[in-house]
Amino acid sequence: LLDNVKIQTDNKNIKPSSLEPYIRQNANSKWFSLFKTQLHIYNLSGRDSTKWMNKFLRKIGDPPVIYDEQLANRTEEEMTKAIQNMGYISGHVKKNESRKKKKLSLVYNITSGRPYTVRSLRYDVGDKKIREYLELDSANTHLREGMIFDVNILDSERQRITNLLLSNGYYKFNKDYISYVADTARNTYEVDLSLEIDLFWPTNTEPEEHKQYKINKVSFITDYDPMQNSLSNIEINDSLHYRGYPIYFRNSLFLRPKVLVNNLRIQPGELYNEKDVQNTYNYLGRLSALKYSNIRFYERQI
């Protein structure tokens, strides 16, 4: 029986709670950290699983957790990778098993070692306009010289830059365009870090700067069927215009045009903004008359 699982670390900056999600097998839960009540209830059931009382006790109780060494080894590996991603590249995890009769206690011992830090930081951005956006938003960056070389922070910076650009017209941008080059100095724990943003690669053409997109026209199509693959299959018999927005429908419009337009956050003439798209989904989702909404964009060739 796996009696209990603990994490012990030699570094106060590595909290055991931050590594708990990597545990692949936990012991039976305790009430008030004292009693394994659910396990005891399960154990009250007899061997005859056909009796209704035994079925009931097993349903409300928890079966005993039998130690699985493969899961423990997997936990050890994933914890090691996690602390190395935190910047403790020489760190490792070692499990310690303690048996007493038919019970086993498991302790994961964390040895972190010295963390790697960022000695220098540079940006390699070939797109001039994007470089300007990053310079204007530099106060919000997650990166700085002297920081621990934490892969999680590096990835959060990729996502932050992606969100910034998606909010400023870069409709086709994604974080795969952002990468890092890290050079470690020999016999030191320092890293020279470079953040790189690639140019846009169209199909079968030379790389070019990323395009900023503006919203040209916004229209509404009601009576939409999510099972249809194409909007061209929707039967449209009538339409109207409200405050410059065309609204197409089959026979009758089941929502007032004002309701649709007032819940729209995507405005013609403005740069594409991913936040506006999500806010429009949120506002439309609150309308009880709508079961489903879908926002599609079509690139206009100029």
Side-chain angles (χ1 to χ4, degrees):
L1 177 72
L2 183 59
D3 192 41
N4 59 73
V5 179
K6 293 182 179 180
I7 300 173
Q8 293 182 349
T9 173
D10 65 346
N11 190 330
K12 64 180 181 179
N13 293 321
I14 300 178
K15 305 297 183 183
S17 58
S18 67
L19 296 173
E20 287 178 356
Y22 298 98
I23 297 177
R24 295 303 170 191
Q25 188 181 42
N26 279 296
N28 291 98
S29 59
K30 294 181 180 180
W31 283 18
F32 308 108
S33 301
L34 294 173
F35 309 107
K36 296 185 178 182
T37 306
Q38 299 299 102
L39 174 61
H40 294 317
I41 291 174
Y42 186 93
N43 289 338
L44 290 175
S45 65
R47 293 188 177 184
D48 188 353
S49 61
T50 61
K51 293 183 177 181
W52 74 268
M53 179 56 74
N54 292 342
K55 286 183 179 180
F56 175 73
L57 292 174
R58 291 188 181 191
K59 184 176 180 179
I60 64 174
D62 289 336
V65 177
I66 307 303
Y67 175 60
D68 187 327
E69 188 172 11
Q70 288 186 339
L71 291 179
N73 291 336
R74 183 179 170 189
T75 298
E76 191 178 64
E77 294 171 0
E78 293 187 2
M79 279 190 182
T80 297
K81 183 178 180 181
I83 63 171
Q84 290 175 351
N85 285 342
M86 294 177 186
Y88 300 91
I89 298 177
S90 60
H92 63 274
V93 180
K94 184 69 176 178
K95 70 178 187 298
N96 182 32
E97 303 169 356
S98 176
R99 290 177 170 84
K100 186 176 181 181
K101 295 183 179 180
K102 292 186 177 182
K103 293 182 179 181
L104 183 142
S105 296
L106 190 59
V107 179
Y108 293 101
N109 292 300
I110 313 296
T111 304
S112 64
R114 182 177 171 182
Y116 280 66
T117 57
V118 175
R119 180 175 66 177
S120 64
L121 175 64
R122 64 183 294 268
Y123 292 82
D124 185 4
V125 183
D127 191 303
K128 181 180 178 181
K129 189 68 174 180
I130 288 180
R131 187 165 61 247
E132 291 177 358
Y133 274 110
L134 296 186
E135 290 172 354
L136 291 172
D137 194 60
S138 59
N140 295 316
T141 182
H142 297 158
L143 307 181
R144 68 182 189 282
E145 294 181 354
M147 63 174 279
I148 292 178
F149 183 67
D150 190 327
V151 173
N152 301 301
I153 294 178
L154 301 188
D155 194 56
S156 69
E157 177 67 5
R158 291 175 69 212
Q159 189 61 57
R160 188 194 70 82
I161 293 174
T162 300
N163 293 340
L164 171 67
L165 297 178
L166 287 174
S167 297
N168 285 279
Y170 291 93
Y171 168 65
K172 292 187 176 181
F173 193 88
N174 63 73
K175 72 176 187 177
D176 290 336
Y177 286 107
I178 307 173
S179 60
Y180 293 97
V181 175
D183 293 325
T184 56
R186 181 176 295 180
N187 299 324
T188 71
Y189 287 84
E190 295 180 320
V191 177
D192 294 323
L193 184 65
S194 175
L195 183 149
E196 300 180 352
I197 299 182
D198 296 332
L199 293 172
F200 180 67
W201 282 84
T203 306
N204 300 324
T205 60
E206 293 295 319
E208 59 186 38
E209 293 192 343
H210 294 266
K211 293 180 181 179
Q212 278 183 292
Y213 288 81
K214 281 188 176 182
I215 304 299
N216 178 49
K217 183 178 71 172
V218 180
S219 59
F220 294 90
I221 300 178
T222 64
D223 304 304
Y224 174 73
D225 184 357
M227 300 302 294
Q228 293 180 337
N229 295 324
S230 175
L231 290 177
S232 60
N233 295 329
I234 299 175
E235 182 182 350
I236 297 173
N237 297 327
D238 205 349
S239 66
L240 59 83
H241 282 70
Y242 178 78
R243 285 164 49 181
Y245 294 95
I247 303 174
Y248 303 96
F249 51 93
R250 183 180 298 145
N251 295 315
S252 61
L253 190 60
F254 59 88
L255 272 176
R256 288 179 297 163
K258 180 180 179 181
V259 174
L260 290 173
V261 174
N262 286 350
N263 285 280
L264 178 68
R265 293 298 176 268
I266 305 169
Q267 302 298 323
E270 295 185 356
L271 288 173
Y272 171 85
N273 189 331
E274 182 73 18
K275 294 179 181 177
D276 292 339
V277 178
Q278 294 305 318
N279 286 335
T280 300
Y281 271 121
N282 293 337
Y283 280 100
L284 293 177
R286 296 172 186 172
L287 300 177
S288 58
L290 295 182
K291 292 183 179 180
Y292 182 86
S293 60
N294 184 26
I295 302 172
R296 296 190 184 185
F297 293 90
Y298 298 91
E299 183 175 355
R300 182 184 178 188
Q301 301 298 329
I302 299 178

PDB file of all heavy atoms in Angstrom, residues 66-86:
ATOM      1  N   ILE A  66      -2.098   0.860  -4.682  1.00  0.00           N
ATOM      2  CA  ILE A  66      -0.980  -0.067  -4.643  1.00  0.00           C
ATOM      3  C   ILE A  66       0.200   0.550  -5.390  1.00  0.00           C
ATOM      4  O   ILE A  66       0.061   1.021  -6.520  1.00  0.00           O
ATOM      5  CB  ILE A  66      -1.364  -1.424  -5.273  1.00  0.00           C
ATOM      6  CG1 ILE A  66      -2.638  -1.975  -4.611  1.00  0.00           C
ATOM      7  CG2 ILE A  66      -0.219  -2.421  -5.159  1.00  0.00           C
ATOM      8  CD1 ILE A  66      -2.535  -2.140  -3.107  1.00  0.00           C
ATOM      9  N   TYR A  67       1.341   0.564  -4.755  1.00  0.00           N
ATOM     10  CA  TYR A  67       2.524   1.237  -5.282  1.00  0.00           C
ATOM     11  C   TYR A  67       2.895   0.701  -6.659  1.00  0.00           C
ATOM     12  O   TYR A  67       2.994  -0.503  -6.884  1.00  0.00           O
ATOM     13  CB  TYR A  67       3.692   1.054  -4.319  1.00  0.00           C
ATOM     14  CG  TYR A  67       4.997   1.617  -4.817  1.00  0.00           C
ATOM     15  CD1 TYR A  67       5.132   2.972  -5.118  1.00  0.00           C
ATOM     16  CD2 TYR A  67       6.110   0.790  -4.993  1.00  0.00           C
ATOM     17  CE1 TYR A  67       6.331   3.481  -5.568  1.00  0.00           C
ATOM     18  CE2 TYR A  67       7.313   1.301  -5.449  1.00  0.00           C
ATOM     19  CZ  TYR A  67       7.425   2.646  -5.735  1.00  0.00           C
ATOM     20  OH  TYR A  67       8.620   3.153  -6.185  1.00  0.00           O
ATOM     21  N   ASP A  68       3.127   1.650  -7.593  1.00  0.00           N
ATOM     22  CA  ASP A  68       3.529   1.320  -8.961  1.00  0.00           C
ATOM     23  C   ASP A  68       4.897   1.964  -9.204  1.00  0.00           C
ATOM     24  O   ASP A  68       5.015   3.183  -9.319  1.00  0.00           O
ATOM     25  CB  ASP A  68       2.496   1.848  -9.955  1.00  0.00           C
ATOM     26  CG  ASP A  68       2.768   1.400 -11.391  1.00  0.00           C
ATOM     27  OD1 ASP A  68       3.941   1.261 -11.760  1.00  0.00           O
ATOM     28  OD2 ASP A  68       1.791   1.183 -12.135  1.00  0.00           O
ATOM     29  N   GLU A  69       5.925   1.142  -9.288  1.00  0.00           N
ATOM     30  CA  GLU A  69       7.287   1.674  -9.421  1.00  0.00           C
ATOM     31  C   GLU A  69       7.486   2.402 -10.747  1.00  0.00           C
ATOM     32  O   GLU A  69       8.241   3.375 -10.828  1.00  0.00           O
ATOM     33  CB  GLU A  69       8.306   0.549  -9.285  1.00  0.00           C
ATOM     34  CG  GLU A  69       9.744   1.050  -9.217  1.00  0.00           C
ATOM     35  CD  GLU A  69      10.741  -0.036  -8.884  1.00  0.00           C
ATOM     36  OE1 GLU A  69      10.347  -1.223  -8.914  1.00  0.00           O
ATOM     37  OE2 GLU A  69      11.906   0.291  -8.606  1.00  0.00           O
ATOM     38  N   GLN A  70       6.814   1.951 -11.800  1.00  0.00           N
ATOM     39  CA  GLN A  70       6.945   2.621 -13.095  1.00  0.00           C
ATOM     40  C   GLN A  70       6.435   4.057 -13.030  1.00  0.00           C
ATOM     41  O   GLN A  70       7.041   4.971 -13.597  1.00  0.00           O
ATOM     42  CB  GLN A  70       6.196   1.838 -14.170  1.00  0.00           C
ATOM     43  CG  GLN A  70       6.871   0.538 -14.571  1.00  0.00           C
ATOM     44  CD  GLN A  70       6.169  -0.132 -15.740  1.00  0.00           C
ATOM     45  OE1 GLN A  70       5.005   0.140 -16.014  1.00  0.00           O
ATOM     46  NE2 GLN A  70       6.876  -1.019 -16.418  1.00  0.00           N
ATOM     47  N   LEU A  71       5.323   4.260 -12.331  1.00  0.00           N
ATOM     48  CA  LEU A  71       4.788   5.620 -12.173  1.00  0.00           C
ATOM     49  C   LEU A  71       5.725   6.476 -11.328  1.00  0.00           C
ATOM     50  O   LEU A  71       5.883   7.672 -11.570  1.00  0.00           O
ATOM     51  CB  LEU A  71       3.396   5.563 -11.545  1.00  0.00           C
ATOM     52  CG  LEU A  71       2.281   4.969 -12.410  1.00  0.00           C
ATOM     53  CD1 LEU A  71       0.964   4.948 -11.637  1.00  0.00           C
ATOM     54  CD2 LEU A  71       2.110   5.765 -13.701  1.00  0.00           C
ATOM     55  N   ALA A  72       6.354   5.859 -10.323  1.00  0.00           N
ATOM     56  CA  ALA A  72       7.299   6.591  -9.482  1.00  0.00           C
ATOM     57  C   ALA A  72       8.520   7.014 -10.300  1.00  0.00           C
ATOM     58  O   ALA A  72       9.019   8.144 -10.158  1.00  0.00           O
ATOM     59  CB  ALA A  72       7.718   5.732  -8.295  1.00  0.00           C
ATOM     60  N   ASN A  73       9.007   6.125 -11.171  1.00  0.00           N
ATOM     61  CA  ASN A  73      10.147   6.462 -12.019  1.00  0.00           C
ATOM     62  C   ASN A  73       9.791   7.578 -12.996  1.00  0.00           C
ATOM     63  O   ASN A  73      10.597   8.469 -13.271  1.00  0.00           O
ATOM     64  CB  ASN A  73      10.611   5.227 -12.792  1.00  0.00           C
ATOM     65  CG  ASN A  73      11.245   4.180 -11.893  1.00  0.00           C
ATOM     66  OD1 ASN A  73      11.748   4.495 -10.803  1.00  0.00           O
ATOM     67  ND2 ASN A  73      11.240   2.932 -12.333  1.00  0.00           N
ATOM     68  N   ARG A  74       8.575   7.524 -13.504  1.00  0.00           N
ATOM     69  CA  ARG A  74       8.118   8.574 -14.418  1.00  0.00           C
ATOM     70  C   ARG A  74       8.034   9.917 -13.688  1.00  0.00           C
ATOM     71  O   ARG A  74       8.422  10.957 -14.236  1.00  0.00           O
ATOM     72  CB  ARG A  74       6.757   8.193 -14.997  1.00  0.00           C
ATOM     73  CG  ARG A  74       6.216   9.176 -16.019  1.00  0.00           C
ATOM     74  CD  ARG A  74       4.877   8.697 -16.551  1.00  0.00           C
ATOM     75  NE  ARG A  74       4.233   9.724 -17.351  1.00  0.00           N
ATOM     76  CZ  ARG A  74       2.992   9.650 -17.801  1.00  0.00           C
ATOM     77  NH1 ARG A  74       2.266   8.561 -17.547  1.00  0.00           N
ATOM     78  NH2 ARG A  74       2.468  10.622 -18.518  1.00  0.00           N
ATOM     79  N   THR A  75       7.544   9.882 -12.449  1.00  0.00           N
ATOM     80  CA  THR A  75       7.485  11.103 -11.639  1.00  0.00           C
ATOM     81  C   THR A  75       8.883  11.668 -11.428  1.00  0.00           C
ATOM     82  O   THR A  75       9.105  12.883 -11.548  1.00  0.00           O
ATOM     83  CB  THR A  75       6.828  10.808 -10.274  1.00  0.00           C
ATOM     84  OG1 THR A  75       5.489  10.359 -10.487  1.00  0.00           O
ATOM     85  CG2 THR A  75       6.818  12.044  -9.396  1.00  0.00           C
ATOM     86  N   GLU A  76       9.818  10.804 -11.121  1.00  0.00           N
ATOM     87  CA  GLU A  76      11.210  11.208 -10.906  1.00  0.00           C
ATOM     88  C   GLU A  76      11.777  11.900 -12.142  1.00  0.00           C
ATOM     89  O   GLU A  76      12.411  12.963 -12.050  1.00  0.00           O
ATOM     90  CB  GLU A  76      12.019   9.960 -10.566  1.00  0.00           C
ATOM     91  CG  GLU A  76      13.418  10.220 -10.050  1.00  0.00           C
ATOM     92  CD  GLU A  76      14.110   8.916  -9.695  1.00  0.00           C
ATOM     93  OE1 GLU A  76      14.348   8.095 -10.618  1.00  0.00           O
ATOM     94  OE2 GLU A  76      14.415   8.703  -8.509  1.00  0.00           O
ATOM     95  N   GLU A  77      11.515  11.339 -13.312  1.00  0.00           N
ATOM     96  CA  GLU A  77      12.013  11.913 -14.565  1.00  0.00           C
ATOM     97  C   GLU A  77      11.369  13.263 -14.861  1.00  0.00           C
ATOM     98  O   GLU A  77      12.053  14.218 -15.260  1.00  0.00           O
ATOM     99  CB  GLU A  77      11.743  10.942 -15.717  1.00  0.00           C
ATOM    100  CG  GLU A  77      12.526   9.643 -15.628  1.00  0.00           C
ATOM    101  CD  GLU A  77      12.067   8.617 -16.652  1.00  0.00           C
ATOM    102  OE1 GLU A  77      11.136   8.951 -17.428  1.00  0.00           O
ATOM    103  OE2 GLU A  77      12.620   7.509 -16.678  1.00  0.00           O
ATOM    104  N   GLU A  78      10.060  13.361 -14.681  1.00  0.00           N
ATOM    105  CA  GLU A  78       9.359  14.600 -15.014  1.00  0.00           C
ATOM    106  C   GLU A  78       9.696  15.718 -14.035  1.00  0.00           C
ATOM    107  O   GLU A  78       9.777  16.883 -14.425  1.00  0.00           O
ATOM    108  CB  GLU A  78       7.855  14.342 -15.061  1.00  0.00           C
ATOM    109  CG  GLU A  78       7.447  13.428 -16.211  1.00  0.00           C
ATOM    110  CD  GLU A  78       5.947  13.298 -16.360  1.00  0.00           C
ATOM    111  OE1 GLU A  78       5.209  13.949 -15.591  1.00  0.00           O
ATOM    112  OE2 GLU A  78       5.499  12.538 -17.245  1.00  0.00           O
ATOM    113  N   MET A  79       9.899  15.368 -12.761  1.00  0.00           N
ATOM    114  CA  MET A  79      10.323  16.382 -11.787  1.00  0.00           C
ATOM    115  C   MET A  79      11.720  16.894 -12.116  1.00  0.00           C
ATOM    116  O   MET A  79      11.997  18.090 -12.000  1.00  0.00           O
ATOM    117  CB  MET A  79      10.290  15.804 -10.372  1.00  0.00           C
ATOM    118  CG  MET A  79       8.935  15.766  -9.723  1.00  0.00           C
ATOM    119  SD  MET A  79       9.077  15.353  -7.974  1.00  0.00           S
ATOM    120  CE  MET A  79       7.344  15.334  -7.511  1.00  0.00           C
ATOM    121  N   THR A  80      12.604  15.983 -12.517  1.00  0.00           N
ATOM    122  CA  THR A  80      13.958  16.386 -12.889  1.00  0.00           C
ATOM    123  C   THR A  80      13.920  17.364 -14.055  1.00  0.00           C
ATOM    124  O   THR A  80      14.595  18.404 -14.052  1.00  0.00           O
ATOM    125  CB  THR A  80      14.798  15.155 -13.260  1.00  0.00           C
ATOM    126  OG1 THR A  80      14.919  14.297 -12.120  1.00  0.00           O
ATOM    127  CG2 THR A  80      16.190  15.565 -13.719  1.00  0.00           C
ATOM    128  N   LYS A  81      13.117  17.046 -15.059  1.00  0.00           N
ATOM    129  CA  LYS A  81      12.985  17.936 -16.217  1.00  0.00           C
ATOM    130  C   LYS A  81      12.404  19.285 -15.796  1.00  0.00           C
ATOM    131  O   LYS A  81      12.828  20.335 -16.304  1.00  0.00           O
ATOM    132  CB  LYS A  81      12.091  17.281 -17.269  1.00  0.00           C
ATOM    133  CG  LYS A  81      11.955  18.088 -18.546  1.00  0.00           C
ATOM    134  CD  LYS A  81      11.099  17.357 -19.576  1.00  0.00           C
ATOM    135  CE  LYS A  81      10.958  18.169 -20.851  1.00  0.00           C
ATOM    136  NZ  LYS A  81      10.112  17.477 -21.865  1.00  0.00           N
ATOM    137  N   ALA A  82      11.463  19.261 -14.858  1.00  0.00           N
ATOM    138  CA  ALA A  82      10.814  20.498 -14.417  1.00  0.00           C
ATOM    139  C   ALA A  82      11.803  21.434 -13.725  1.00  0.00           C
ATOM    140  O   ALA A  82      11.821  22.635 -14.010  1.00  0.00           O
ATOM    141  CB  ALA A  82       9.650  20.180 -13.482  1.00  0.00           C
ATOM    142  N   ILE A  83      12.632  20.905 -12.828  1.00  0.00           N
ATOM    143  CA  ILE A  83      13.572  21.789 -12.121  1.00  0.00           C
ATOM    144  C   ILE A  83      14.682  22.256 -13.060  1.00  0.00           C
ATOM    145  O   ILE A  83      15.208  23.364 -12.911  1.00  0.00           O
ATOM    146  CB  ILE A  83      14.151  21.123 -10.857  1.00  0.00           C
ATOM    147  CG1 ILE A  83      14.976  19.891 -11.208  1.00  0.00           C
ATOM    148  CG2 ILE A  83      13.063  20.785  -9.864  1.00  0.00           C
ATOM    149  CD1 ILE A  83      15.741  19.334 -10.021  1.00  0.00           C
ATOM    150  N   GLN A  84      15.036  21.433 -14.048  1.00  0.00           N
ATOM    151  CA  GLN A  84      16.028  21.870 -15.033  1.00  0.00           C
ATOM    152  C   GLN A  84      15.457  22.989 -15.887  1.00  0.00           C
ATOM    153  O   GLN A  84      16.175  23.927 -16.249  1.00  0.00           O
ATOM    154  CB  GLN A  84      16.472  20.691 -15.895  1.00  0.00           C
ATOM    155  CG  GLN A  84      17.317  19.678 -15.131  1.00  0.00           C
ATOM    156  CD  GLN A  84      17.663  18.446 -15.942  1.00  0.00           C
ATOM    157  OE1 GLN A  84      17.145  18.252 -17.043  1.00  0.00           O
ATOM    158  NE2 GLN A  84      18.523  17.594 -15.400  1.00  0.00           N
ATOM    159  N   ASN A  85      14.157  22.920 -16.217  1.00  0.00           N
ATOM    160  CA  ASN A  85      13.500  24.002 -16.952  1.00  0.00           C
ATOM    161  C   ASN A  85      13.430  25.281 -16.129  1.00  0.00           C
ATOM    162  O   ASN A  85      13.307  26.380 -16.694  1.00  0.00           O
ATOM    163  CB  ASN A  85      12.094  23.585 -17.371  1.00  0.00           C
ATOM    164  CG  ASN A  85      12.093  22.619 -18.537  1.00  0.00           C
ATOM    165  OD1 ASN A  85      13.085  22.492 -19.253  1.00  0.00           O
ATOM    166  ND2 ASN A  85      10.990  21.927 -18.739  1.00  0.00           N
ATOM    167  N   MET A  86      13.497  25.164 -14.807  1.00  0.00           N
ATOM    168  CA  MET A  86      13.503  26.341 -13.941  1.00  0.00           C
ATOM    169  C   MET A  86      14.858  27.043 -13.935  1.00  0.00           C
ATOM    170  O   MET A  86      15.004  28.099 -13.329  1.00  0.00           O
ATOM    171  CB  MET A  86      13.148  25.947 -12.507  1.00  0.00           C
ATOM    172  CG  MET A  86      11.737  25.448 -12.314  1.00  0.00           C
ATOM    173  SD  MET A  86      11.469  24.920 -10.586  1.00  0.00           S
ATOM    174  CE  MET A  86       9.820  24.210 -10.706  1.00  0.00           C
TER     175      MET A  86
END
